[in-house]
Amino acid sequence: MELNSGVSSTVSGIKAGLFEKTKDVLNYIPIMEKEFSRVESIIGNELTPEAAYFYYDFYEMALELREILKDTDAFRQDVVQKELIERTVNVCQELEDDKLWSLLTGVVKVDHVDRGYLEKKIKDKTILKILRALKSSFR
């Protein structure tokens, strides 16, 4: 797959130790799902990205995820471009687990330069999509 090969250069430096953090980050799936369901049940439908920024509160979660993921080897690699993240997230179910980790840590790396990007990606359900795909890849 073309997307897999496009992401390959960003994941070559990820070591096996990265996967030890899997349980920690996967624990955020039910928390995110609960918040999305709560707000969407009040509003009556899924929020637009603009509305999501104001209605969902994931500030603390973004800080926690940043701390969990910032010390990985992938964090010290070059910043993954936002365009690659945006293009790839739509097909994340087709990606291998190391490429999903690259996407996840890529969001954190971009947030390092563009503060608030991680929280935005949590609110627009990008992180949830990646975590679900990561969870599925272990089955």
Side-chain angles (χ1 to χ4, degrees):
M1 171 182 215
E2 188 174 309
L3 285 175
N4 283 346
S5 63
V7 181
S8 294
S9 63
T10 60
V11 297
S12 62
I14 297 177
K15 297 179 181 175
L18 178 63
F19 298 104
E20 294 174 11
K21 298 177 187 254
T22 301
K23 184 179 176 187
D24 292 337
V25 297
L26 292 180
N27 287 334
Y28 288 99
I29 292 173
I31 297 167
M32 283 187 246
E33 290 173 335
K34 183 177 177 181
E35 176 66 2
F36 290 133
S37 293
R38 183 189 70 79
V39 172
E40 289 168 7
S41 68
I42 293 169
I43 302 297
N45 57 356
E46 189 169 338
L47 299 178
T48 64
E50 294 82 16
Y53 186 79
F54 293 102
Y55 284 97
Y56 298 126
D57 182 16
F58 289 111
Y59 179 77
E60 293 294 323
M61 182 183 293
L63 292 176
E64 292 170 13
L65 280 171
R66 186 180 299 117
E67 285 301 311
I68 291 170
L69 298 171
K70 77 174 185 178
D71 294 325
T72 63
D73 288 335
F75 186 77
R76 292 185 269 294
Q77 296 177 8
D78 293 336
V79 171
V80 175
Q81 297 177 359
K82 289 181 186 179
E83 295 80 23
L84 178 63
I85 294 167
E86 298 300 327
R87 281 184 296 145
T88 309
V89 76
N90 293 325
V91 294
C92 66
Q93 286 294 98
E94 302 170 23
L95 298 176
E96 299 167 5
D97 54 356
D98 59 340
K99 289 164 182 58
L100 292 166
W101 272 107
S102 179
L103 276 177
L104 191 59
T105 56
V107 172
V108 173
K109 290 186 278 186
V110 171
D111 185 72
H112 185 68
V113 176
D114 180 8
R115 286 287 180 190
Y117 185 72
L118 175 59
E119 188 174 4
K120 178 182 174 194
K121 294 289 105 187
I122 293 172
K123 289 179 178 183
D124 74 5
K125 299 184 182 179
T126 297
I127 298 297
L128 182 59
K129 288 177 187 176
I130 296 169
L131 292 178
R132 284 179 177 160
L134 186 62
K135 184 178 180 180
S136 295
S137 75
F138 289 114
R139 293 185 181 168

